[in-house]
Amino acid sequence: MNSLQSISPATLQPLRSSVVEPALADLSPVQQRAFDRIVRYASATPLLALTGGPGSGRSLILRALAERFDGRVVRLEDILSWSQLRDAESTDEAIQRGIEFLLREYDFVLIDNFQAVFHPHGRGTRPAPMFKDLVTKHLYTVANRLGKRLLVCERPVDQHGETAERLSNRAQIATVKLEDFEPEDYAAICANILGAERLAKVDFKAVHRYVAGLTGHQLRMLCGMVPVESELSADDFIEAMETYMP
């Protein structure tokens, strides 16, 4: 039987939800919608993908999912640690076995920066989409057999120009794409840093119109550039961008 064509929701183990959800308060509306979609998809398929550009909040969402479901986030330092256990020719095998081990230990395994998994030391400069597909499909098979969930998180386009959408389509992954931030996301991210009271009079639609497409990292930097006052306005943010982000 081809496991890639036989998703079996009945074999999925129920996800244990934590009562305390501290990370969810930090999610912006766009991030919260992506989180909710992943939770819905996880009830039907063992393999998921989250795509988004730098600073879009991918890692934040992974931490929120791990806290919610007592999962395990695989970070680049894990990959580097596994890769040092074997010689260079078998690094990919060591990484694969490390992920398989976590799938046996946790109900939900979430891999951050998936595009870096196969070249943790910068090995190789040529695209290898077929190899990436094979490993992804193998991990899917393992997750499906164990009744566990596996989520891979990466940029829409990796270092070799391969799109996550193409990979997910070939491997039959349920993919969630993080959209660009809207004014309400600007407001939520800045409120997490500066406090909602100081931002009560800020028109974030005006801030968004002035510069759309700011990332979470850029917004955090911007919050450090506005005047240290009890109340702020949209003009304060726009003036800071004019001064420090020409």
Side-chain angles (χ1 to χ4, degrees), residues 3-4 46-49 92 95-96 99-100 103 111 114-115 117-118 128-144 150-154 158 162-164 166-175:
S3 62
L4 293 177
L47 191 62
L48 308 104
D92 295 313
I95 294 170
Q96 179 178 308
I99 296 172
E100 291 176 10
L103 282 169
I111 307 176
F114 189 62
Q115 70 275 3
V117 166
F118 303 107
M130 291 304 296
F131 173 74
K132 191 172 185 179
D133 282 351
L134 288 173
V135 175
T136 303
K137 290 176 180 179
H138 173 74
L139 292 174
Y140 173 96
T141 301
V142 174
N144 193 34
L150 175 68
L151 183 146
V152 297
C153 179
E154 59 185 341
D158 68 13
E162 182 73 8
T163 64
R166 286 177 58 193
L167 287 172
S168 65
N169 288 339
R170 288 201 298 268
Q172 298 186 2
I173 306 173
T175 303

Side-chain angles (χ1 to χ4, degrees), residues 166-215:
R166 286 177 58 193
L167 287 172
S168 65
N169 288 339
R170 288 201 298 268
Q172 298 186 2
I173 306 173
T175 303
V176 174
K177 180 180 178 182
L178 268 168
E179 305 297 336
D180 292 336
F181 289 146
E182 298 292 338
E184 57 267 26
D185 298 288
Y186 280 30
I189 292 169
C190 291
N192 284 334
I193 300 168
L194 299 173
E197 292 183 0
R198 294 187 63 195
L199 304 178
K201 296 183 179 180
V202 177
D203 181 3
F204 278 100
K205 290 183 178 180
V207 177
H208 188 267
R209 281 196 302 270
Y210 185 78
V211 178
L214 290 178
T215 67

